[in-house]
Amino acid sequence: MGSDFASLEGKLALVTGASRGIGRAVAEELARAGASVVVGYRSGKAEAEGLAAAIGGRAVQADVSSPDDAKRLVEEAGDVDVLVNNAGLTRDGLLARMPDDDWRTVIETNLSSVFYTCRAVTRPMMKKRGGSIVNISSIVGVHGNWGQTNYAASKAGIIGFTKSIARELGSRNVRANVVAPGYVKTALTEVLPDEATAAMVSQTPLGRVAEPEEIAGAVRFLASDQASFITGEVLLVDGGLGM
Ligand code: NAP
């Protein structure tokens, strides 16, 4: 049973990249809110299946950078009420030396995937006149970052894309919003040098990095009817870093 605040009782939620990190915390939080959750994953089968069993959901494998796989993921998920596009990766490097493949992999995984899954849920959501899409961007998509031209472009693209679908789908009561995290403790950031983490923390008013669960609460709110008049919004969850 979910609590009353930001309840998702009776809703079906699909979360991409839910085998670990932020996606995993989001899947757990949406399940706590009462949703049935489809745990999307690419390679973390054991983790995804373990999580699905723990939260009474289902795990579905798909590489969301592939249009066919992304479409199949949405179809296998069922009648999706809440779509959370969280799958993402980094291939950092300076622009002058960036291989084409690092550019394409990041754009296709982080941005094209959002296009594929959103396109697949659009008709069914419009038809039932309801749905909530939450796309995970990053503070880097708002401010840019040294060594992350590909990642910043993908995350900024998510913001423009989401505002556009918010305009296209609003009249059918389908909402689309962005959560843009700051620095969160996950596998994605543990590879960064300690000095980079320390520099980020020193510029963050709350003076620390976030736990994945702190991103999940914002996603739950935007996904729920508690946010019924919020669409096209970009919610920074960054400890004040980007203000
Ligand atoms: P993470 O721990 O590395 O997890 C990434 C997840 O994405 C994994 O579940 C992975 O699945 C999945 N994934 C990657 N490529 C995929 C593909 N092609 N198809 C399907 N799934 C794929 O990263 P995280 O830190 O939780 O990041 C989650 C999201 O938050 C990303 O979009 C990231 O850009 C964003 N974000 C993170 C931070 C941060 O500080 N951590 C800050 C801002 C934004 P498998 O493991 O199953 O392959």
Side-chain angles (χ1 to χ4, degrees), residues 27-221:
E28 288 171 336
E29 183 63 28
L30 300 189
R32 258 195 298 277
S36 300
V37 179
V38 175
V39 176
Y41 72 98
R42 180 188 50 177
S43 58
K45 184 174 166 46
E47 294 92 332
E49 287 180 348
L51 172 63
I55 63 176
R58 274 187 299 132
V60 178
Q61 194 282 335
D63 176 349
V64 291
S65 68
S66 145
D68 291 344
D69 253 27
K71 185 164 175 272
R72 179 183 52 77
L73 172 64
V74 170
E75 283 166 2
E76 284 187 23
D79 187 12
V80 175
D81 300 295
V82 172
L83 169 64
V84 181
N85 278 303
N86 162 81
L89 46 70
T90 52
R91 291 282 184 277
D92 295 350
L94 293 178
L95 175 62
R97 291 199 295 262
M98 184 171 291
D100 290 354
D101 198 46
D102 285 0
W103 173 266
R104 282 199 206 100
T105 300
V106 169
I107 296 294
E108 283 164 18
T109 306
N110 297 5
L111 179 58
S112 302
S113 62
V114 176
F115 160 62
Y116 302 141
T117 57
C118 287
R119 181 176 57 181
V121 298
T122 292
R123 277 211 183 90
M125 282 186 177
M126 283 172 68
K127 208 164 162 199
K128 67 179 170 185
R129 287 188 152 60
S132 179
I133 297 169
V134 182
N135 294 327
I136 307 299
S137 175
S138 165
I139 188 170
V140 170
V142 180
H143 290 271
N145 198 20
W146 192 90
Q148 290 198 308
T149 49
N150 50 358
Y151 184 75
S154 72
K155 293 300 183 180
I158 285 175
I159 294 173
F161 176 86
T162 308
K163 290 185 176 187
S164 301
I165 61 171
R167 290 184 188 279
E168 284 192 20
L169 307 180
S171 67
R172 306 297 177 95
N173 191 35
V174 178
R175 299 181 298 103
N177 291 289
V178 169
V179 168
Y183 194 109
V184 189
K185 212 187 288 170
T186 69
L188 194 86
T189 47
E190 77 183 5
V191 294
L192 296 176
D194 288 347
E195 312 83 71
T197 308
M200 195 89 77
V201 167
S202 74
Q203 292 165 40
T204 302
L206 288 181
R208 61 179 178 83
V209 302
E211 298 295 331
E213 292 71 25
E214 296 182 281
I215 312 304
V219 175
R220 171 177 172 172
F221 167 66

